[in-house]
Amino acid sequence: MSADATATRGLTGWLDPRRYGIRHQVGAVGLVLLAFAPYLVPTVWVRNLTIALFFAMFAMSWDVVSGYTGQISFGHAFFFAIGGYSSALLNLELGLPPVVTVPIAVVVTVVAGLLVGVPALRLRGPYFSLVTLVAPTILLNVFILFSGTFGGELGLDSPAPILSFDDLVVTLVANYYLAFALFVGILAVLLAVTRSDAGAVFTAIREDEDAVAASGLNPAKFKVFAFALSAAVGGLAGAVFVHTPVGNPNPSQLLALTVSIEVIIAAILGGMGTIVGAAVAGIFLRLFQLYLGTVEYVVPVLDTAVADVDLLLFSLVTLVLLFALPGGIVRWAVHGGGTALDNIRGRDAATDGGRDPPDRDVLDAVQERWREDVADLQARVGGGRR
Amino acid sequence: MVDVATLAVNSVIISALYALVAIGFTLIFGVGGVLNLSHGATITLGAFAAYYASGGIVEAGVGGAVLAAIVVPALFSAVVYKGLIERIQDQPIMVMILTLVVAIAVEQVFLVAEGTQPKSIPSLLDGTVALGGSKFQTNLLVVFALSWLIIAALFYTINNTETGKAILATSMTTKGAALVGIESDRVNLYTWVVAGALAGVAGLFLGSFQTANFAMGRGPLMLSFAIVVIGGIGSVKGSLVGAYVIGTAEVLTGAVSTRLTGLVPLLLLILVLLVKPEGLFGRELAE
């Protein structure tokens, strides 16, 4: 298992300037800890960690398109649901094994992503946000409309497991390692892509799309590529998720608005456009939420147990976090608590003089463009009275 | 069973209510340039405020319910704006995320406090009225009349009062409004309060002929998206037209199959965005 960590360290060492060595060592330690986690935590937390790893994959899939190109998607659950449902349906209806259904589900998700993404990526700021907000809702409506096929609000039965053993604990641990392997694989691929020349173009699109176009590159092509990659990763994570004991093909786990928004919050708190930030914050955010669900403490005044109001508490805590430390919590935690954050876009110094804008600027750049889009809309649409 | 007159009357009535739902959402976007995703939750809040005032906690009758449905959401909206949004109003993405989290929190409060059981809100007026050869609930007609009364009052205010003109000016050009001495923060606050009150009333109306439950605001929020996109984002007059397009489309679909009604507004939204992304109307608020 530590081979994973060494490999990753080697990979990142190869990708990144040496001055960030310490962070990578911290990151490697984090991976080693994850690799041995089942031996370090109680069984119930193995289950929770598995859920958290899948959630981190969801968050990474969001970050690669929205955190890098600045096209903020408010409906990424669309991808997770299409991946999960496709794989589950193929397995349940046709009896195909997960080994076959998962790859097909990834292809289906990419196709669906392109069908939505190609027209949607032409739209500007607020309109893109609205379309992405509406896409999962439309899908949910379709699921309810054809509930005979899709199981409506309740979702589908559990499809065949990928890994299943007689012993429950063994099954849980095996599935944890399945999630961990997938997590490491996705992390490595996304790091490689975002630290390549393509990643530099994504970032350039976020900063100044016109400049990218002026330099002879087609921003639309890169945006569609980022979108397809993101759909593939989201669909893959969703597809594998439903074949594990922790995930089921139902709207509340894959398609709810809360899923989309928590993914965004994780990526923003971890630092947009970093991939690793989304992964780290995704794991911690999910674990925190799952922890709240286990707290039996009864709040005196309200006379309700914390576990009953976990989602309410979670949303209030997120509100405070976002408000107090927008784009900075993980960095803040790095200084305060030594959490692993590898917050670097390891490009050659030549691309942008080696500067890495802090996370705040990433969000600012995106929002700046959103505001320009709105002003532009006002001007374009404003053929009204003088 | 389904005759044209009934469909027409139903379309006209439900569309007026939809206009009420969408105008506040449009106003906030027009003036502040941000999308308020807690708009649906404010509608829910209005419905529950009416429920609590009409027997849920105190017995204040229909008048009390109406008052509560206006005041509570308006105050809530003001608090959300002052407490959360004002500091980050130049960050539209953060505003979307925070208002969405606020919406989730509001839903959770009502879910924890009231469970999933729908609550009934008393009708504004009981009884039925014969109209166009078929019977309608008096309540529906009252909702229609009041909706239009409120919309008319809003248009009058925007065009003829100092504050209204400030709102109109800011929605046209924030910079220009600032140059002539309009304080955008105050105008924003007024807009949020007005939007909150409108959403609250819409919540009372919706609840009076359906029921109130914790998730009742989700549909209206999606409707608002569709309506503002069809009408042109930021145009109040466009919202009115958009509401009539959506409301009529929904009633007509409902006549064919009630299971399709939820999908229609969303599909119309996608269609308009693909064909005519700037919407059907300019940004002028009113003639």
Side-chain angles (χ1 to χ4, degrees):
Chain A
M1 273 308 144
S2 58
D4 268 327
T6 328
T8 313
R9 198 188 316 170
L11 179 74
T12 41
W14 165 64
L15 281 168
D16 285 320
R18 271 164 312 170
R19 62 195 161 108
Y20 298 113
I22 289 178
R23 277 187 177 172
H24 286 287
Q25 281 159 18
V26 173
V29 169
L31 280 174
V32 171
L33 278 179
L34 277 177
F36 290 104
Y39 303 98
L40 308 172
V41 297
T43 312
V44 65
W45 282 96
V46 175
R47 190 189 168 84
N48 289 347
L49 268 171
T50 312
I51 298 174
L53 281 175
F54 277 108
F55 183 72
M57 294 179 227
F58 292 163
M60 286 191 283
S61 81
W62 183 89
D63 200 30
V64 73
V65 66
S66 296
Y68 276 86
T69 67
Q71 298 282 340
I72 304 295
S73 154
F74 274 84
H76 241 57
F78 182 78
F79 296 142
F80 317 147
I82 289 200
Y85 271 77
S86 307
S87 193
L89 278 171
L90 286 167
N91 174 261
L92 294 168
E93 302 290 327
L94 303 177
L96 298 168
V99 174
V100 180
T101 62
V102 169
I104 299 177
V106 173
V107 174
V108 172
T109 313
V110 172
V111 171
L114 290 176
L115 283 176
V116 175
V118 171
L121 285 167
R122 296 201 334 250
L123 300 168
R124 321 280 297 264
Y127 287 132
F128 185 80
S129 304
L130 285 180
V131 167
T132 54
L133 261 169
V134 164
T137 313
I138 291 181
L139 192 61
L140 182 60
N141 269 295
V142 169
F143 285 176
I144 291 169
L145 198 58
F146 302 105
S147 45
T149 309
F150 297 105
E153 303 251 18
L154 298 172
L156 300 164
D157 296 338
S158 294
I162 292 176
L163 295 171
S164 181
F165 303 94
D166 292 338
D167 187 311
L168 192 69
V169 177
V170 175
T171 306
L172 274 181
V173 171
N175 276 284
Y176 171 82
Y177 281 118
L178 172 70
F180 179 68
L182 196 64
F183 171 82
V184 172
I186 287 176
L187 182 67
V189 168
L190 292 186
L191 282 175
V193 171
T194 52
R195 272 97 183 128
S196 69
D197 290 349
V201 177
F202 294 164
T203 317
I205 289 174
R206 183 182 67 210
E207 303 298 332
D208 189 349
E209 200 171 324
D210 295 338
V212 175
S215 67
L217 294 163
N218 181 356
K221 210 172 66 179
F222 281 90
K223 278 196 285 192
V224 169
F225 170 64
F227 215 71
L229 175 68
S230 173
V233 170
L236 174 64
V240 176
F241 183 59
V242 299
H243 293 287
T244 65
V246 297
N248 283 309
N250 61 41
S252 65
Q253 276 189 319
L254 287 173
L255 192 55
L257 188 57
T258 42
V259 178
S260 296
I261 193 70
E262 281 164 16
V263 161
I264 302 177
I265 289 168
I268 286 187
L269 290 179
M272 274 169 73
T274 60
I275 302 294
V276 178
V280 173
I283 290 174
F284 278 94
L285 206 65
R286 201 64 171 159
L287 286 180
F288 172 64
Q289 200 184 354
L290 291 163
Y291 164 74
L292 279 181
T294 64
V295 178
E296 310 252 324
Y297 174 75
V298 175
V299 186
V301 185
L302 301 169
D303 200 30
T304 44
V306 168
D308 297 334
V309 291
D310 57 341
L311 194 56
L312 175 61
L313 274 178
F314 178 76
S315 49
L316 293 177
V317 170
T318 348
L319 215 54
V320 171
L321 282 180
L322 282 170
F323 201 64
L325 309 148
I329 175 141
V330 171
R331 256 184 315 159
W332 171 82
V334 168
H335 297 308
T339 315
L341 172 66
D342 160 358
N343 170 18
I344 336 121
R345 273 170 236 91
R347 290 173 306 243
D348 292 346
T351 51
D352 64 345
R355 277 184 312 106
D356 267 318
D359 309 334
R360 201 76 202 91
D361 290 358
V362 173
L363 198 53
D364 277 350
V366 172
Q367 301 192 117
E368 180 63 40
R369 220 182 58 186
W370 214 89
R371 285 206 303 277
E372 283 167 13
D373 284 341
V374 171
D376 199 50
L377 281 171
Q378 293 190 345
R380 238 168 12 110
V381 179
R385 301 172 314 160
R386 277 290 144 89
Chain B
M1 189 222 122
V2 176
D3 67 294
V4 177
T6 312
L7 287 181
V9 175
N10 269 329
S11 302
V12 168
I13 291 174
I14 200 80
S15 301
L17 176 53
Y18 285 179
L20 213 53
V21 166
I23 284 175
F25 186 78
T26 303
L27 270 179
I28 288 180
F29 183 84
V31 171
V34 294
L35 296 167
N36 169 22
L37 301 184
S38 63
H39 193 68
T42 316
I43 290 170
T44 312
L45 188 66
F48 273 97
Y51 162 73
Y52 287 137
S54 61
I57 294 177
V58 289
E59 189 60 73
V62 172
V66 173
L67 193 67
I70 295 171
V71 174
V72 175
L75 277 176
F76 167 79
S77 210
V79 168
V80 170
Y81 176 73
K82 282 307 251 185
L84 283 175
I85 307 303
E86 194 172 34
R87 220 179 75 178
I88 54 160
Q89 57 192 354
D90 59 343
Q91 301 177 39
I93 308 273
M94 282 306 279
V95 170
M96 282 178 85
I97 293 165
L98 286 177
T99 50
L100 200 50
V101 177
V102 166
I104 292 168
V106 170
E107 275 192 9
Q108 284 299 310
V109 167
F110 289 121
L111 180 61
V112 171
E114 301 295 343
T116 52
Q117 280 303 315
K119 307 284 174 195
S120 55
I121 294 173
S123 295
L124 300 161
L125 272 179
D126 290 323
T128 56
V129 175
L131 204 81
S134 49
K135 280 194 168 167
F136 290 94
Q137 288 180 348
T138 318
N139 183 45
L140 272 180
L141 300 177
V142 174
V143 163
F144 168 75
L146 287 178
S147 296
W148 266 107
L149 200 68
I150 293 166
I151 293 164
L154 185 75
F155 271 72
Y156 179 86
T157 309
I158 282 178
N159 283 312
N160 298 297
T161 67
E162 198 73 18
T163 309
K165 285 177 180 171
I167 289 177
L168 183 62
T170 313
S171 83
M172 285 177 169
T173 158
T174 317
K175 275 206 183 94
L179 285 173
V180 296
I182 295 172
E183 289 175 54
S184 70
D185 282 0
R186 268 189 41 209
V187 170
N188 265 312
L189 179 62
Y190 291 145
T191 312
W192 278 75
V193 169
V194 168
L198 289 175
V201 173
L204 163 69
F205 290 173
L206 277 168
S208 74
F209 62 85
Q210 296 162 354
T211 46
N213 72 58
F214 77 101
M216 69 183 286
R218 293 178 191 177
L221 179 67
M222 291 291 159
L223 279 175
S224 303
F225 296 166
I227 290 167
V228 299
V229 165
I230 288 173
I233 217 161
S235 156
V236 173
K237 202 172 66 181
S239 290
L240 210 51
V241 176
Y244 269 80
V245 171
I246 293 285
T248 308
E250 244 193 14
V251 171
L252 292 181
T253 322
V256 180
S257 153
T258 45
R259 295 170 61 206
L260 283 169
T261 44
L263 262 176
V264 169
L266 302 178
L267 293 176
L268 276 173
L269 175 151
I270 301 282
L271 195 71
V272 169
L273 275 182
L274 293 181
V275 178
K276 203 175 183 308
E278 68 277 14
L280 308 177
F281 278 82
R283 293 185 37 79
E284 77 277 17
L285 276 164
E287 296 298 3

